[in-house]
Amino acid sequence: MLTNADLEKIVDTNDQWIMDRTGIRERHIADPDVATSDMAYEAAKIAIANRGIAPTDIDVIIVCTVTPDMLFPATACLVQHKLGAKGAWGFDLIAACSGFIFGLTTAVQFVRAGAHQRVLVIGADTMSRIIDYTDRSTCVLFGDGAGAMIVEAAEDDEPGFIGHLNEIDGSGGDYLKMPAGGSRMPASLETVQNRLHYVKQDGQNVFKYAVRKMFEVCRDLLATHGLTAADVKVIIPHQANRRIIMAAADRLGMTEDQLIINIDRYGNTTAATIPLATQDAIRAGKLKKGDLVLFAAVGAGFTVGANLWRWGY
Ligand SMILES: CC(C)(COP(=O)(O)OP(=O)(O)OC[C@H]1O[C@@H](n2cnc3c(N)ncnc32)[C@H](O)[C@@H]1OP(=O)(O)O)[C@@H](O)C(=O)NCCC(=O)NCCS
């Protein structure tokens, strides 16, 4: 656990600033010997046990992450092996904070096409490995975590998945990125000395874009289906900043009761925020079978996504 008080000892910051500007109180940090595939595996085990199936019942594994154990092999392969999910195929999906929504959307296409029965979608990120703990403007924001869901065909005629609206806008790519470690700027002594293997962010530009797009993507997806925010039981937004969520919710006209916010306890766990917040919603009795739920996220890329579901669990 990394609290605001802990961060006060590391960088020039304070609890008041972090709470006021972000809504974050504490974040979970993985132990040094824990990597993304380890957390992904734990989350997957829980999802599989909750569904009462065996790992061998999984056909596809999609690991949404920007912090894979290695550039290759894919973290999906590592998770498949740990789970003993023999017969499954899978891949990693990079869409940063929109990763889990893009993963769900992808999973739905496999199931709808009749190509596969069950797709395991995991959102997992060990952000602490790519965060610069000398940069106060980013290190207060992120935490580590993982969550998983299983997408499968509904047993009754009621459709679970209602629709999606996903976008990418590469013109915003420079505002949030990890510059080194890929083919553009391979690791070297110089890249390490210049701290280029860490997250670099233009916070204000990301903030403005996120507030606008979070609202627009929700409004437009709902409108496509002849719905408004009032028809939704809960919105489970990506947890990047409490102010982004509140601004979007305000414009949508959503009540506090419809909102799931747990950023205070986890920070921004990138691809893991949505499954983690969904679990909290279920535990709080705010999301039950048959409820209309809207997932929405904006992230690095830029990536933007929203999924509308009638909850089936
Ligand atoms: C990062 C973020 C919280 C910064 O909040 P902000 O209100 O935009 O703050 P600014 O960047 O304008 O900085 C205001 C001041 O606070 C300072 N500051 C930045 N981080 C600070 C910290 N952790 N503690 C104290 N002061 C801090 C800045 O240096 C600046 O000081 P100055 O006015 O003397 O120059 C905000 O921009 C944000 O949330 N952006 C989006 C991030 C995000 O969602 N990323 C993931 C996308 S999925």
Side-chain angles (χ1 to χ4, degrees), residues 13 17 21 97 136 140 201 203-204 207 238 240-241 243 298:
T13 191
W17 192 96
R21 301 290 180 116
C97 297
R136 68 175 182 176
V140 301
Q201 175 172 251
Q204 284 188 4
F207 188 89
H238 169 56
N241 186 316
R243 288 190 294 143
V298 176

Side-chain angles (χ1 to χ4, degrees), residues 7 11-18 20-24 96-98 135-142 175-176 199 201-208 210 238-244 263 268 270 297-300 302-303:
L7 285 164
V11 287
D12 180 15
T13 191
N14 57 79
D15 177 54
Q16 182 85 42
W17 192 96
I18 302 172
D20 289 352
R21 301 290 180 116
T22 72
I24 303 167
C97 297
S98 308
D135 175 6
R136 68 175 182 176
S137 68
T138 51
C139 75
V140 301
L141 302 174
F142 295 93
Y175 293 128
L176 182 51
V199 170
Q201 175 172 251
D202 175 339
Q204 284 188 4
N205 270 307
V206 174
F207 188 89
K208 277 186 239 158
H238 169 56
Q239 314 276 317
N241 186 316
R242 189 185 167 87
R243 288 190 294 143
I244 295 174
I263 191 170
N268 182 352
T270 304
V298 176
F302 289 121
T303 56

Side-chain angles (χ1 to χ4, degrees), residues 55-78:
T56 45
D57 294 324
I58 299 294
D59 302 316
V60 186
I61 301 171
I62 304 175
V63 178
C64 314
T65 187
V66 291
T67 50
D69 287 27
M70 296 163 266
L71 277 178
F72 72 90
T75 304
C77 299
L78 308 177

Side-chain angles (χ1 to χ4, degrees), residues 21-246:
R21 301 290 180 116
T22 72
I24 303 167
R25 192 181 303 280
E26 59 198 23
R27 319 109 190 98
H28 293 252
I29 303 294
D31 287 340
D33 60 341
V34 171
T36 296
S37 70
D38 301 313
M39 295 194 297
Y41 166 63
E42 294 299 331
K45 265 199 316 192
I46 295 169
I48 288 168
N50 283 349
R51 185 67 188 100
I53 57 173
T56 45
D57 294 324
I58 299 294
D59 302 316
V60 186
I61 301 171
I62 304 175
V63 178
C64 314
T65 187
V66 291
T67 50
D69 287 27
M70 296 163 266
L71 277 178
F72 72 90
T75 304
C77 299
L78 308 177
V79 173
Q80 179 268 344
H81 180 59
K82 281 182 220 247
L83 280 173
K86 286 205 171 62
W89 71 286
F91 51 90
D92 290 2
L93 188 157
I94 304 175
C97 297
S98 308
F100 197 79
I101 288 181
F102 286 17
L104 284 182
T105 311
T106 306
V108 165
Q109 310 314 312
F110 287 131
V111 173
R112 273 197 171 163
H116 294 295
Q117 289 258 300
R118 289 196 184 92
V119 183
L120 173 65
V121 184
I122 306 170
D125 270 302
T126 322
M127 295 305 290
S128 61
R129 301 287 151 74
I130 60 165
I131 291 298
D132 184 350
Y133 286 96
T134 66
D135 175 6
R136 68 175 182 176
S137 68
T138 51
C139 75
V140 301
L141 302 174
F142 295 93
D144 301 336
M149 295 186 194
I150 295 164
V151 176
E152 60 180 47
E155 278 160 10
D156 49 30
D157 293 338
E158 189 75 11
F161 183 74
I162 295 168
H164 74 276
L165 181 55
N166 298 343
E167 296 172 14
I168 58 172
D169 178 2
S171 69
D174 274 341
Y175 293 128
L176 182 51
K177 63 182 179 184
M178 188 179 105
S183 60
R184 176 70 58 195
M185 208 187 284
S188 67
L189 186 57
E190 196 189 348
T191 61
V192 173
Q193 279 170 345
N194 291 330
R195 311 182 79 77
L196 295 173
H197 301 268
Y198 291 124
V199 170
K200 307 287 175 196
Q201 175 172 251
D202 175 339
Q204 284 188 4
N205 270 307
V206 174
F207 188 89
K208 277 186 239 158
Y209 185 83
V211 166
R212 179 165 64 81
K213 292 305 283 189
M214 198 77 162
F215 160 64
E216 287 179 2
V217 77
C218 292
R219 177 198 62 190
D220 295 349
L221 176 59
L222 289 168
T224 303
H225 297 279
L227 300 167
T228 68
D231 298 310
V232 172
K233 177 74 191 306
V234 283
I235 172 169
I236 301 188
H238 169 56
Q239 314 276 317
N241 186 316
R242 189 185 167 87
R243 288 190 294 143
I244 295 174
I245 299 172
M246 295 311 289

